[in-house]
Amino acid sequence: MQDFFVNCATVLQKYGFSYLRGAGTTLLLALVGTFFGCLIGFAIGALQTIPVDKQRDPAWKRALIRILHGVLRCYVELFRGTPMIVQAVFIYYGLLQVFGIKMGMWTAGFLIVSINTGAYMAETVRGGIVSIDPGQTEGAMSIGMTHWQTMLHVILPQALRNIIPQIGNNFIINIKDTSVLSVISITDLFFVHKSVVGALYTYFESATIVMIIYLTMTLLASYLLRLWEKALDGPQNYDLNTTDTLAYTSGMYNAPNPVHEPQNLDMKGEVSHV
Amino acid sequence: MQDFFVNCATVLQKYGFSYLRGAGTTLLLALVGTFFGCLIGFAIGALQTIPVDKQRDPAWKRALIRILHGVLRCYVELFRGTPMIVQAVFIYYGLLQVFGIKMGMWTAGFLIVSINTGAYMAETVRGGIVSIDPGQTEGAMSIGMTHWQTMLHVILPQALRNIIPQIGNNFIINIKDTSVLSVISITDLFFVHKSVVGALYTYFESATIVMIIYLTMTLLASYLLRLWEKALDGPQNYDLNTTDTLAYTSGMYNAPNPVHEPQNLDMKGEVSHV
Amino acid sequence: TTDSTAASDSAASTAETGTEADTTAAPDGDGDPTTLTVAMECAYAPYNWTQSDDSNGAVQIRDSSDYAYGYDVMMAKKIAEALGQNVQVVKLDWDSLIPAVMSGDVDCVIAGQSITSERAQQVDFSDPYYYASIITLVKKDGPYANAKSVADLSGATCTSQLGTIWYDNCLPQIPDANILPAQETAPAMLVALNSGACDVVVTDRPTAQAALVAYPDFVALDFGGGDEDFQVSDEDINIGISMKKGNTALKDAINGVLATMTTDDYNTMMDEAISVQPLSE
Amino acid sequence: MSEPIIQVRHLSKSFGTHVVLRDVDFTVNAGDVTCVIGASGSGKSTLLRCINLLETPTNGNVLFHGQEITAKGFDPCAYRAKVGMVFQSFNLFNNMSVLDNCTAGLRYVLHQDKETARRTALANLEKVGMAPYIHAKPRQLSGGQKQRVAIARALSMQPEVLLFDEPTSALDPQMVGEVLAVMRQLAKDGLTMIVVTHEMAFARDVSSHVVYMADGVIAEEGTPADIFEHPQNPRTVEFLSRFRQE
Amino acid sequence: MSEPIIQVRHLSKSFGTHVVLRDVDFTVNAGDVTCVIGASGSGKSTLLRCINLLETPTNGNVLFHGQEITAKGFDPCAYRAKVGMVFQSFNLFNNMSVLDNCTAGLRYVLHQDKETARRTALANLEKVGMAPYIHAKPRQLSGGQKQRVAIARALSMQPEVLLFDEPTSALDPQMVGEVLAVMRQLAKDGLTMIVVTHEMAFARDVSSHVVYMADGVIAEEGTPADIFEHPQNPRTVEFLSRFRQE
Ligand SMILES: Nc1ncnc2c1ncn2[C@@H]1O[C@H](COP(=O)(O)OP(=O)(O)OP(=O)(O)O)[C@@H](O)[C@H]1O
Ligand SMILES: Nc1ncnc2c1ncn2[C@@H]1O[C@H](COP(=O)(O)OP(=O)(O)OP(=O)(O)O)[C@@H](O)[C@H]1O
Ligand SMILES: [Mg+2]
Ligand SMILES: [Mg+2]
């Protein structure tokens, strides 16, 4: 046990800075990937729910939507269904080899994490949208909102609230899964761990250090997301608005207040036949 | 290109059976892990929502619930927050080294996948429960259901429907993530791929084969889950019940039907004063 | 069947049915003196690879229907035979080779590990069981195809395998080199070279020979071991067998076997391994 | 004022084998207040939902200013912006405050600026007595308060036609009186309305046309005088008996 | 019949700074039908929710058979099984058919066998005319149908006390009559009821006690005769003016 801590200290002293840099890389990839992944997920969620009206929509539009749905499904299934490490090799080395396209490794890294997260988020968002009462959509449609407005202003904000725990999951998955990007030469935290173990053979020591760093990052993320959840829930109570009224006096009903005196007795005669 | 297919054929001929076995292992681990993970997730979801009443509950009960919540949070954050590969090494080799406990690799494999999935599912289920209208809980409580009955009969069935897309995600993540169990010498599909590549150095060929196998599994899973979603949604329409009535004639209102003749004119006098 | 009970029992049943060796004196690391349990990746031809049958004397992998063979397996068999034990191969990911040997899950790791003094603080190494000379791989039509010395590689974009002497010691010797982060596996390193993501990779002779079969576009450059070549100490290119720290009984036993072999024996064995590796068919 | 705005033509709607509307046919002229009355489950809400294109009719169609609303190329959003609806279950936006509920349509659909939208919304909220609650979220409101916000939201859009689905069901008698007074005023101002209601007095006194529905068909329709004074159909007679005995 | 079943003692409830109930105090005896009337937002639903322990009172308490319901060790589940509630927003279980909604409590809470539960539920569904719809899911029902199922669900539990929150708001006059008749029968059979209602006629004719709430306080209470014939408080007078002018 004594040994263990001595080894940890040695490891840290030699590679402490590498760990930090690795953690930074990991965090950057996870943040960017989760952010764009969420955007993609929300976009796909909205696209997948475009309503089709068999009577009203022209055939070409229905065909287009159908094709769009097909393409989106393919995207989701393809990127969700294959390992990210293989995707990374195909995209980075495959493109280079076959088409001579040389992507920067960071570009490739961000791209791969984002489209992967996007594929998962698309399903997550679908679940979120399904869970919103259809009455909300009807309410939005009844005032003439288009599908996009409905999604943007009514459905997705509510879905967002419900899937924040899941966004947290995805972020944390990304923190860990970006380690596969070491195949395209991105040195993330886990790769630093592997390098240290490769050099010093101090597996448990390095693993402990890495776990602590991961835990710090994920706990922080969890905490911030919980705060965000609370913020989205809004205040538990509301304040009565007593100042912000219009100079609107129509002789109609006025806001109830404890010393309420009706100003509309004049209309009582009119409504007194029930 | 010609080469490519020839190589694929060679690879398949030499290692076709290994791929299949690997796929079987992967599928088994993912299925077992997802199943128990879901159970754990639902259990934690239900435990986390145990209501506490400051006035009515005795102090020890409140303390107990608080401790339980703390333990559950630790579990979730710890297993979500650290890489599964490191957990596998710590659990399998760490236990062996420190306590001399030798777990079977399959026991360890199922355990690790399950508790990991459970940690993610706990958050997923929390999101699912949050998305259910509180009115449902109130409805259940108003007829005297306990927290557990409410969860079991009312909330979780509805939450389940909303998180099926997410269960699909988790299953697919498991299909891919079980590859880290190669550290405890479980030969899953991806480890077969690594072995083939290590033996034949035919990266793209083997990767293509593996991707196709993964895709087959995930597409099948997606399809089955969509069927399940449909099944849970129940029939779009209902049938009127015309046979299954009681011989209950109270002189009260009878079911409306097109040739409805009121049998309860007698009570009209009683209710005619509005 | 991949049934969990059957799997966990298999280690015990091997012990029961194993040949009656000298159980008291037999050196051991995992609590089963009848068997020499060896961990390797089985994914690094020609050192060790996976194959689907037992041709050439391949050994069945623990809890698997596949077989392992290669230079490391041949060596394992040789040692086990000399110690009067059965040989058992455990296929493990690179990540867990060290925890496996440290925790006593396996007796030793034979997986082409370079012996370094830093590593030797955590595990015990046997004497070298192979001397891996250094080879540079480049593309035939690439800018460095005609390099004659390390100096000629000047300015190259290069990489090699993680945790190897080639990456840690050799690459920095290339003048103005653009050293990419290391690759985890040899195949990945070769994919990088083939795609053009890097110009040069440095590896050892057996790996290079395997690579040439799979990638006919490559050329192997051997700078001759003199002043023109990468400067490495003898210690650096030695690869050894690792076991739990303090397990001197096993270490001495293995060293005893290795002492009976010469460098030529090693090279013959390696040539045999290369000739039967799946790639060469 | 007698140009037909909404014509319901042989409208049918089934859910599976369950026929909810059968050959419903009536016309609403500009400025009309059409009341739809009928038993629970007789298809009144479904009728309004078909008119507002929230359900696709199984058969028949609805004309708006002579134009088929299910025709190809018809823009349902523009149509719905002109034909407002107050839902039986309110359907307020849960993520928005009361004020935002009322301004959302003005801002996003009619592209009014924030201040104009706020003034319109406040004016309408004040009409139904909900101005003090503009910061509240729907879940913090009582049933009647939600209903009043739903009315204010629909009014804020200043539609040509308004569909009300039991707009006073959750209100106390005093508030019913006040909301009905607001509707009466709107009727006077020429707004066309279709009102599903259980307030027979309102139907009798304000409407220009009454439709009595029973089991998915129009059992009887006519002027309030026809329906309330001389109902022909025995089912109408029975339905109205409780009210007419007053 | 005059043993007090439910005693509301100085009950107050605030949401943040917003005081919704203030020092509400009344007693319900066994067999009483207490009607709670009042304007929209005056706190009627909150009062029922406090009695049913769905909200924790800020102050004061409620006694059931003389026992404090917020006391330590009090079993809220057993209590709620005896004190049923019909919600203003119905709160039917969305995942269950109409029949299951009504049998759930019987089977899981009262542990009746399936057949007994089905018979009880069917009998109650028949009372409110919903027997033909037992296979429907709540989302397939009309507003009035949902409300009737909610009533049937509460009745099926055969509680000691029933809290009704505007149980006829979504019903047409004919159905209102029929549901009120059912409630009248229950009252005759000795069920204790607290009914929040906008049906003044029901309050006047059936209740043994009327509570008029305004802005969170009991502005006036008494026998129906007191309240409807001789209201003392000017706010009561105003509130009832529309009804009393009939
Ligand atoms: N989505 C649906 N699927 C199947 N049946 C439905 C659906 N929606 C409504 N119905 C049925 O259609 C019939 C008419 O419902 P509708 O809501 O139009 O009644 P209503 O006249 O508005 O009644 P209420 O006065 O109670 O609101 C009901 O029997 C209802 O069960
Ligand atoms: N969760 C909450 N948070 C804040 N305020 C609330 C909450 N629930 C209710 N209120 C407020 O409490 C007041 C009383 O509400 P309550 O639902 O009891 O009214 P009510 O008498 O039932 O009215 P109605 O007849 O319209 O149903 C309302 O002003 C409402 O806005
Ligand atoms: Mg309706
Ligand atoms: Mg209420």
Side-chain angles (χ1 to χ4, degrees), chain E residues 156-169:
Chain E
S156 298
M157 291 295 291
Q158 287 161 308
E160 250 179 81
V161 181
L162 246 175
L163 314 176
F164 287 96
D165 199 349
E166 306 189 14
T168 57
S169 62

Side-chain angles (χ1 to χ4, degrees), chain A residues 237-240 256-258 260 262 265 268-269 271-274, chain E residues 14-18 22 40 215 234-235 238 241-243 245-246:
Chain A
N237 303 294
Y238 61 92
D239 290 325
L240 281 190
N257 65 60
H260 173 73
L265 283 173
K268 278 280 133 56
V271 293
S272 57
H273 14 57
V274 177
Chain E
S14 334
F15 294 104
T17 57
H18 185 33
R22 219 170 321 174
S40 165
D215 290 313
R235 299 191 63 181
E238 194 211 332
S241 61
R242 187 161 173 262
F243 173 69
Q245 283 176 27
E246 270 171 30

Side-chain angles (χ1 to χ4, degrees), chain D residues 148-202:
Chain D
R148 288 181 279 157
V149 174
I151 295 172
R153 177 174 74 179
L155 291 183
S156 297
M157 291 296 289
Q158 288 161 308
E160 251 178 82
V161 182
L162 247 176
L163 314 175
F164 287 96
D165 199 349
E166 307 189 13
T168 57
S169 61
L171 302 178
D172 59 279
Q174 188 180 4
M175 192 56 70
V176 168
E178 286 160 11
V179 167
L180 293 187
V182 170
M183 290 171 64
R184 229 177 281 262
Q185 186 58 45
L186 291 170
K188 269 194 201 145
D189 297 349
L191 178 71
T192 310
M193 292 189 267
I194 305 180
V195 188
V196 169
T197 188
H198 297 325
E199 286 287 330
M200 295 303 141
F202 178 78

Side-chain angles (χ1 to χ4, degrees), chain C residues 19-31:
Chain C
T19 52
E20 276 306 312
D22 185 0
T23 48
T24 47
D28 177 52
D30 68 342

